[in-house]
Amino acid sequence: MCRVLAYVGPEVPLKSLLLTPENSLINQTLDPEAHPQLQLAGWGFAAWSEHFCEPETPFVYHRPMAAFYDDNVHKVVPALRANTMLAHVRAADYNAHVVLADENCHPFIFDGTPWAIAQNGDVPSWQLLQRELLQHCKDEYLSQMSGTTDTEFFFVLLLSLMESDSDEDVKRAVEEAVRLIAQARQKLDIPELTKLKMALVSPKRVIGINTGTGHHGETDPAGDWRELREAEPGTDEFALGMLLEPMYMLTGRHLQTEKGAYGFEECGDDQATSAIFASEPLTEDTEDWSELVFGQIVFIEKDGASITRTVDDLKI
């Protein structure tokens, strides 16, 4: 699956998030520590800054190639600063069915909503599931789909189910979207594992989601992800381990970056000014990173100079 990275906090150089860390997102393209597949199918990011002409509108960059092949990486990224960012590198099976195009690169952003989405996940047979799910989708979002990915369609479904942008309504919409997918799989007899690990980002807000369904469409799959990940890649056990593995969070203040080093100044949660949400830790030392376990959602927001972080269980 893909790799996701989201940041919220004081304005920092984008290279401090995408290039400098020892396990940076760009490095994960070629050498992800927690995934057996290379991320060669494209990459992109959305960045918000108070210094942009339109601070509520992100700078969006996509390119349908491996990030380490992109000659713009070391030209565009060092030129930008951001207080909120969502970045993604895309993995895909290497066959003729995979469409490599700008339209299929995350993050996805639609008019009429402040949200951007990027996913480390998979909704198999989503084209067939549309037979049941389209009735829940609003035309204003369906008409903006331009690619062929499951993530973009899930974004349409999620936005259509939101009644507002409040934390409570986002959580309710996520729960309802997973329920609808599980029900559609049951009705259409398509019991496949669905992996929904994503970041939903708007200016100074990051919502991290870790949910999905098991191989039989169950909404409460169980198992020890560490033991399951010891199975051979490509097996059902390994896939279940990837579904159940956590996402990662890091909070602190005063982002410190040097070549080969990365981190925040340690402080209590009440003193934190910055937060990162990621598919895997950006540093070899993972002691300071906390986990968002399967079945949870986290709400991270910058309120003035402080960061608030609330973790809640999804009820599906």
Side-chain angles (χ1 to χ4, degrees):
M1 293 298 103
C2 313
R3 304 282 88 181
V4 173
L5 173 67
Y7 166 84
V8 61
E11 294 227 335
V12 296
L14 272 191
K15 67 178 182 180
S16 299
L17 297 167
L18 297 178
L19 299 178
T20 304
E22 55 203 26
N23 188 35
S24 73
L25 194 72
I26 302 301
N27 288 339
Q28 289 176 38
T29 305
L30 186 61
D31 187 26
E33 295 190 358
H35 194 276
Q37 192 175 23
L38 302 182
Q39 325 291 307
L40 305 179
W43 81 290
F45 65 85
W48 290 259
S49 170
E50 60 193 36
H51 298 297
F52 291 168
C53 293
E54 298 180 6
E56 298 300 308
T57 302
F59 176 96
V60 181
Y61 180 88
H62 293 142
R63 207 161 187 202
M65 61 168 58
F68 58 83
Y69 281 143
D70 187 351
D71 55 0
N72 284 329
V73 167
H74 295 285
K75 298 174 183 177
V76 174
V77 173
L80 296 173
R81 298 173 62 88
N83 58 49
T84 311
M85 186 213 65
L86 175 59
H88 181 271
V89 291
R90 184 183 178 212
D93 293 329
Y94 309 125
N95 58 52
H97 298 291
V98 175
V99 180
L100 301 181
D102 283 346
E103 292 80 4
N104 286 340
C105 293
H106 309 216
F108 296 103
I109 297 174
F110 291 160
D111 293 336
T113 173
W115 298 108
I117 196 172
Q119 182 184 204
N120 162 29
D122 188 23
V123 185
S125 304
W126 68 272
Q127 297 94 334
L128 301 180
L129 295 176
Q130 287 181 102
R131 290 161 54 189
E132 294 297 319
L133 299 176
L134 280 173
Q135 61 185 307
H136 303 284
C137 296
K138 294 181 178 179
D139 291 348
E140 63 186 286
Y141 302 123
L142 274 172
S143 62
Q144 295 187 61
M145 279 193 67
S146 59
T148 59
T149 67
D150 52 352
T151 301
E152 192 177 21
F153 178 71
F154 181 84
F155 193 30
V156 168
L157 177 64
L158 184 61
L159 291 174
S160 300
L161 294 171
M162 284 187 198
E163 295 178 1
S164 77
D165 295 325
S166 70
D167 291 352
E168 295 78 12
D169 275 336
V170 173
K171 177 175 182 286
R172 180 200 55 77
V174 170
E175 293 169 342
E176 182 64 13
V178 178
R179 277 194 292 267
L180 289 172
I181 290 173
Q183 291 168 4
R185 289 203 179 283
Q186 184 177 32
K187 184 172 182 178
L188 298 174
D189 194 22
I190 312 175
E192 297 180 85
L193 184 147
T194 299
K195 183 181 176 186
L196 298 169
K197 296 174 180 287
M198 66 189 69
L200 194 65
V201 176
S202 65
K204 301 183 180 180
R205 292 177 72 189
V206 173
I207 298 178
I209 300 161
N210 189 358
T211 186
T213 66
H215 287 291
H216 305 289
E218 70 275 21
T219 58
D220 58 347
D224 185 320
W225 71 269
R226 291 181 178 83
E227 292 182 2
L228 291 165
R229 282 294 299 269
E230 293 178 0
E232 287 293 322
T235 62
D236 285 352
E237 291 80 6
F238 188 86
L240 182 59
M242 291 182 66
L243 171 68
L244 296 176
E245 69 183 358
M247 301 286 278
Y248 296 89
M249 301 174 286
L250 181 68
T251 59
R253 63 182 181 185
H254 304 314
L255 182 67
Q256 301 170 3
T257 60
E258 299 174 0
K259 193 173 182 61
Y262 178 89
F264 289 127
E265 179 182 304
E266 293 185 15
C267 65
D269 286 344
D270 59 336
Q271 297 175 308
T273 60
S274 306
I276 287 177
F277 177 75
S279 300
E280 59 183 73
L282 303 183
T283 57
E284 292 183 4
D285 182 3
T286 62
E287 182 178 345
D288 295 331
W289 292 79
S290 57
E291 296 182 350
L292 184 77
V293 302
F294 181 82
Q296 290 186 330
I297 185 170
V298 61
F299 303 96
I300 304 170
E301 185 168 1
K302 186 168 177 59
D303 183 11
S306 301
I307 288 288
T308 61
R309 181 177 63 169
T310 303
V311 176
D312 201 357
D313 293 327
L314 292 165
K315 299 177 178 61
I316 300 169

